[in-house]
Amino acid sequence: PALAALVAEQRLEGTRAAMAFDRRLDVINYSTGLPPRAGVFMSLIHAGVDGIDGRDRNGFHTETISTSAYAVQLGFGIRLSSRLAAGIGLQVFRSELYETMPSVKTIALDIGVNFAVSEQLAIGLVIDDALGRFTWDSSGLYGSDGRQSTDVFPRRVRLGMHWDVLWGSVYGEVEQRLSTRSYQVDRLEVLSGRPTRFTDETTLRQVDVLLRAGIDVRLTDFLHLRTGVDQLPLKTHYVGVRPAAGFGLVQPVGNVLLRMDYATI
């Protein structure tokens, strides 16, 4: 969110991702500067999965299910000095899984700073999704077997850098992700000659450290080539490095700067 303070003009961006397994992702983002030292941004994100094969306990097809999730983001950034900017972002999340399960909502915060070490090098630090959590109630789906459970959003801390060079830019980021999950385990004990069921709750904490990096090669003022890699293992339970590549086109039309970016993973 601190980068909102560095926006000099109005920007309107749209993104659509075509992904495997019938997944979809759409993003609309608007940002503008607030002279002389601030800026704001607003985003709407929609994600979901289509074509889920619903089946009963006997394995017979019952229906085709889809899920949807939404996030509305509002952020504000301000320059504290010529080198230092700070920002805060508010996110409202909503998730819809199944028609007989109530949709869940939560609010989360992003807090970040950006420091310009020089005209070519900048570093940033951000805490993502603080306070976010979903509380589910599956009693409408499973009746007396349903339960209420809470999923706390992973606590994400990211440290990144942006370095301008003669031929383009170099990017790097390291992320620490702390996930906390509570789950219930049923057990049977015989008390006074009768089997009695007890439920124990266990909390599992998992720490992942992920590294990602990329380069942007400026062939001309209108054409950029990009490549990068995600999920480089430092300390993580994630499996598989994810490389990506793409290009960007920039074309001024009057006072409007048009840009088109494409990437494949």
Side-chain angles (χ1 to χ4, degrees):
L3 296 179
L6 308 182
V7 177
E9 66 281 328
Q10 296 186 65
R11 295 181 181 176
L12 179 63
E13 301 173 327
T15 301
R16 163 156 280 195
M19 298 181 290
F21 306 112
D22 296 314
R23 295 173 298 163
R24 61 187 188 277
L25 175 66
D26 303 288
V27 183
I28 297 177
N29 180 73
Y30 172 77
S31 58
T32 184
L34 298 177
R37 295 188 302 141
V40 295
F41 70 88
M42 295 166 283
S43 297
L44 173 62
I45 303 173
H46 172 241
V49 181
D50 294 320
I52 301 174
D53 185 15
R55 294 178 178 266
D56 61 19
R57 294 183 178 181
N58 297 318
F60 295 103
H61 175 78
T62 57
E63 59 185 320
T64 300
I65 305 169
S66 62
T67 67
S68 289
Y70 302 87
V72 178
Q73 299 177 325
L74 301 173
F76 172 79
I78 186 170
R79 295 181 186 175
L80 302 177
S81 69
S82 60
R83 292 180 177 266
L84 181 64
I88 185 170
L90 174 68
Q91 301 186 79
V92 180
F93 294 93
R94 176 187 175 94
S95 181
E96 302 170 353
L97 287 186
Y98 192 63
E99 57 184 9
T100 57
M101 285 187 63
S103 61
V104 292
K105 297 176 282 294
T106 190
I107 295 176
L109 294 177
D110 296 340
I111 303 171
V113 295
N114 184 77
F115 181 72
V117 180
S118 65
E119 293 185 359
Q120 290 77 35
L121 178 63
I123 58 175
L125 177 68
V126 62
I127 300 173
D128 288 315
D129 301 335
L131 307 179
R133 63 185 61 206
F134 279 149
T135 300
W136 307 91
D137 185 357
S138 61
S139 59
L141 181 61
Y142 298 113
S144 59
D145 292 330
R147 294 176 177 175
Q148 187 176 88
S149 60
T150 299
D151 289 335
V152 179
F153 284 21
R155 300 295 182 256
R156 301 169 57 208
V157 179
R158 295 184 291 131
L159 176 66
M161 56 80 67
H162 167 213
W163 181 29
D164 282 330
V165 293
L166 292 177
W167 44 263
S169 300
V170 178
Y171 303 87
E173 182 178 88
V174 60
E175 173 183 343
Q176 183 188 67
R177 187 177 301 177
L178 172 62
S179 303
T180 304
R181 290 288 182 268
S182 297
Y183 61 95
Q184 296 175 330
V185 179
D186 294 333
R187 58 184 174 88
L188 286 176
E189 290 189 7
V190 178
L191 299 179
S192 301
R194 300 181 59 183
T196 305
R197 187 176 74 172
F198 294 90
T199 300
D200 298 325
E201 184 168 301
T202 302
T203 299
L204 176 67
R205 293 167 61 90
Q206 176 178 310
V207 178
D208 297 294
V209 181
L210 306 172
L211 178 66
R212 55 185 63 97
I215 59 173
D216 181 326
V217 179
R218 185 175 57 251
L219 296 183
T220 69
D221 291 338
F222 307 109
L223 176 61
H224 291 231
L225 297 181
R226 304 185 179 104
T227 186
V229 62
D230 192 8
Q231 294 186 178
L232 287 170
L234 293 182
K235 178 186 177 183
T236 179
H237 296 80
Y238 291 85
V239 178
V241 176
R242 299 181 62 188
F247 64 87
L249 300 174
V250 180
Q251 178 61 54
V253 179
N255 294 326
V256 178
L257 187 64
L258 300 180
R259 192 185 76 191
M260 192 275 287
D261 297 306
Y262 174 82
T264 182
I265 297 176

